[in-house]
Amino acid sequence: MRKLFIASALLLSGGLLAGGLAMPAQAQMELKFGHVGGPGSLFELSANEFARRANEKLGGKAKVVTFGSSQLGGDKELLQKLRLGTVEFALPSTVMSSEVDAFGMFEMPYLVKNREHMKKIEKEVVWPSLAPMAEAKGYKVLAVWENGFRHITNNVRPIVKPEDLKGIKLRTPKGKWRVKMFQSYGANPSPMALSEVFVALQTGVMDGQENPLTQIYSTKFQEVQKYLSMTGHVYTPAYIVAGARKWDSLPEDVRKALSEAATETQPYVYEQAVKLEDDLLAKIKAAGVAVNEADKDAFIAASKEVYAEFGKDVPAGGKLVDQAIALGTGM
């Protein structure tokens, strides 16, 4: 009887093994990429293109999965999750200045003239200076992408000169230099997560906000704003960033595939950014928003104070600003 029981048990075990029920296959490593961009935004396009390229290179060793529209948290929360290792990638922009003071250089108005200038700054400033500073704080920068040239929308009046901002309640991202800049122009700026801005504009808690056209349109601000003023006051890069500790724990071949995909995605990002600028401006106008050009010379003249304060408070950043300005000479 005992021999019969053992034989039956072995037969049953063999059947389970043959059916694939005994030991589960090792699960594929999922690499989560969180960002705040809405559907159709440059952030969404950029993240999805990176995921496509990365997953081709990874060949099943791991899989990048994207989560947009702040599904995994706002910018600040995503940076915390990178350090904890609960999210593998994020796409911060302005918020990097709240982690590393010198990143505030990109908060300086009219610093970056165009994308060719930004490419020079990336090569001569970001990689030699800013990226190591970020790594010292626990962040690994894989590539420099784009958020874009920022413009102001509001429900009070067209913004032509800085004085037109006087008294306007303006949402800004979480970076202190953007707040200081708009304070110097006479506005009442308040940092707020992007996911909260639509309701704030709809209810009148905020009069206006400032963002690249891709963020303005993808978050549907054209539905709750009357005026778009083409100030182009700041160009904000975006950075594909990993938590340094989690990054170092990944297999070398996985890191190589991800690094290559991040770098190779940049030309696509710039190409889409240019295309979106023209397409989205037309769509925002068609939605009934009044569009006006701003007096950029007046804004530049009013920006000297914030440059001086940044150079005083963040000496290393001030030197990088001077370096970036020199790189744009003649452009």
Side-chain angles (χ1 to χ4, degrees), residues 22-293:
M23 293 292 291
Q26 187 175 1
Q28 186 181 44
M29 186 184 352
E30 181 178 285
L31 304 173
K32 295 186 288 294
F33 187 160
H35 64 87
V36 301
S41 67
L42 182 60
F43 275 16
E44 182 188 64
L45 294 172
S46 304
N48 289 350
E49 178 66 11
F50 164 73
R52 184 189 69 79
R53 289 172 180 265
N55 291 337
E56 279 185 5
K57 291 176 181 290
L58 289 166
K61 295 171 187 171
K63 183 178 182 181
V64 176
V65 182
T66 62
F67 298 86
S69 300
S70 304
Q71 291 178 70
L72 301 183
D75 279 327
K76 193 74 176 174
E77 189 178 358
L78 283 168
L79 287 177
Q80 292 170 348
K81 288 182 175 181
L82 289 182
R83 295 184 71 175
L84 291 170
T86 55
V87 170
E88 281 70 36
F89 304 105
L91 194 54
S93 183
T94 300
V95 72
M96 283 301 289
S97 65
S98 68
E99 299 292 320
V100 181
D101 286 344
F103 274 83
M105 65 175 288
F106 291 113
E107 301 302 291
M108 296 300 102
Y110 303 100
L111 175 71
V112 180
K113 295 184 175 182
N114 50 46
R115 291 180 182 90
E116 290 305 311
H117 185 199
M118 184 61 220
K119 288 177 184 177
K120 288 186 177 182
I121 295 171
E122 178 190 348
K123 181 180 178 182
E124 302 292 337
V125 177
V126 175
W127 294 118
S129 300
L130 292 179
M133 292 179 188
E135 196 153 357
K137 290 293 184 85
Y139 303 105
K140 173 71 175 178
V141 180
L142 301 186
V144 179
W145 294 351
E146 177 172 311
N147 194 351
F149 289 95
R150 306 179 79 93
H151 309 286
I152 299 169
T153 67
N154 82 100
N155 285 326
V156 180
R157 66 181 76 93
I159 306 301
V160 179
K161 295 187 177 183
E163 50 263 37
D164 294 327
L165 283 164
K166 187 173 182 180
I168 287 180
K169 296 176 291 184
L170 195 75
R171 176 270 175 181
T172 67
K174 295 183 178 180
K176 71 175 184 178
W177 294 104
R178 191 75 53 80
V179 171
K180 287 179 178 289
M181 179 182 78
F182 281 110
Q183 285 173 336
S184 73
Y185 295 157
N188 293 328
S190 296
M192 181 183 289
L194 184 64
S195 59
E196 300 170 7
V197 179
F198 183 92
V199 172
L201 296 172
Q202 188 179 45
T203 58
V205 171
M206 289 289 160
D207 297 319
Q209 62 81 52
E210 48 85 56
N211 254 303
L213 296 180
T214 175
Q215 298 287 37
I216 290 170
Y217 189 78
S218 65
T219 42
K220 301 184 178 180
F221 293 156
Q222 69 276 6
E223 295 180 5
V224 289
Q225 296 278 262
K226 295 177 182 177
Y227 306 105
L228 166 62
S229 301
M230 302 296 289
T231 50
H233 51 275
V234 165
Y235 172 89
T236 42
Y239 318 90
I240 176 168
V241 176
R245 188 165 53 183
K246 185 66 174 286
W247 175 259
D248 289 341
S249 74
L250 295 175
E252 185 178 351
D253 57 343
V254 170
R255 294 200 306 266
K256 182 174 184 290
L258 294 167
S259 292
E260 289 176 353
T263 302
E264 290 169 7
T265 299
Q266 189 198 55
Y268 170 86
V269 173
Y270 283 168
E271 178 186 325
Q272 292 303 309
V274 173
K275 181 176 182 296
L276 284 171
E277 280 178 346
D278 293 336
D279 292 351
L280 296 182
L281 183 58
K283 289 180 178 179
I284 291 168
K285 285 180 178 177
V289 177
V291 178
N292 70 277
E293 293 297 325

